Amino acid sequence: MTALFIAAGAAALIILVLTARVGVEAEYSSAGLRVRAVLGPFRPPLYPAAGEKKSRAARRAGPGREKREGGSLERVKKNLPIIGEVLGKLKKRLTIDSLEISCLIACGDPADTALAFGAASAGAGLLLPVLENSFRIRKRDVRTGVSFTESKSRLYVRARASVSVYHLQSALLVLRSIKKT
């Protein structure tokens, strides 16, 4: 009888661990990409690692100033296939607790800036229903802006998401296969 209680307790512990939710906080700004794991009250950095140096822009900006400034759109465009593949594996399993996207459009020519702003606003309008259909989003803030005085467009993204340990294995397998290639 004691063995039965021990087996039931072990099974309950395994189920509790597999259904526990782990999360990730990601922020893309002028300082670059920052990713932190959320394991209960602990938030260890995943990228960049704790020992890595800050970028030159982050050191110049000082603490807190770089939070609202966006990073380059070119870096995001380059990594979209990888991001899409990982998020595709977590479809309907991932809960996005908080999503903040702020896009500032700027070009040299005012007419090009206005056209790019219209395209960015339309893109945001198309992106949001796709995200809402694919994931559960609890809180969202998506904004587009225009600047006729700046020369480069900027993007700021901050997201906090969580997933159960059981469903996390599919995303880890995708990342592992991408790393090998």
Side-chain angles (χ1 to χ4, degrees):
M1 189 69 163
T2 305
L4 182 63
F5 285 130
I6 291 173
L13 183 64
I14 290 171
I15 290 172
L16 181 68
V17 168
L18 288 176
T19 58
R21 297 195 72 80
V22 295
V24 67
E25 290 178 353
E27 180 182 43
Y28 178 74
S29 65
S30 61
L33 179 66
R34 292 182 187 173
V35 181
R36 291 183 173 274
V38 178
L39 308 166
F42 305 106
R43 287 175 167 56
L46 296 176
Y47 181 84
E52 290 186 33
K53 293 183 178 180
K54 287 184 176 180
S55 70
R56 186 182 303 170
R59 285 193 306 262
R60 251 187 288 149
R65 182 168 171 227
E66 78 274 357
K67 286 197 172 217
R68 290 287 148 201
E69 290 188 15
S72 169
L73 288 174
E74 304 306 319
R75 288 193 291 184
V76 174
K77 288 179 186 177
K78 185 173 66 171
N79 293 318
L80 273 179
I82 296 170
I83 295 168
E85 190 169 345
V86 170
L87 290 178
K89 293 292 181 182
L90 292 173
K91 189 173 186 179
K92 287 293 184 189
R93 297 176 180 149
L94 184 73
T95 299
I96 299 175
D97 301 316
S98 156
L99 176 67
E100 181 182 349
I101 301 173
S102 177
C103 184
L104 179 73
I105 302 298
C107 300
D109 182 31
D112 290 340
T113 303
L115 288 173
F117 174 70
S121 297
L126 291 173
L127 177 68
L128 214 62
V130 171
L131 286 175
E132 288 175 342
N133 193 29
S134 299
F135 309 107
R136 288 180 296 247
I137 300 177
R138 292 186 178 159
K139 181 181 170 187
R140 65 186 170 282
D141 180 18
V142 179
R143 290 174 277 152
T144 56
V146 64
S147 173
F148 294 104
T149 58
E150 296 186 30
S151 60
K152 292 182 86 173
S153 296
R154 293 185 309 213
L155 178 68
Y156 175 81
V157 178
R158 184 174 185 187
R160 181 179 298 142
S162 61
V163 67
S164 68
V165 173
Y166 177 74
H167 294 277
L168 188 63
Q169 67 183 346
S170 60
L172 292 177
L173 290 174
V174 170
L175 285 174
R176 193 174 187 197
S177 66
I178 290 172
K179 222 176 195 183
K180 287 183 181 179
T181 57

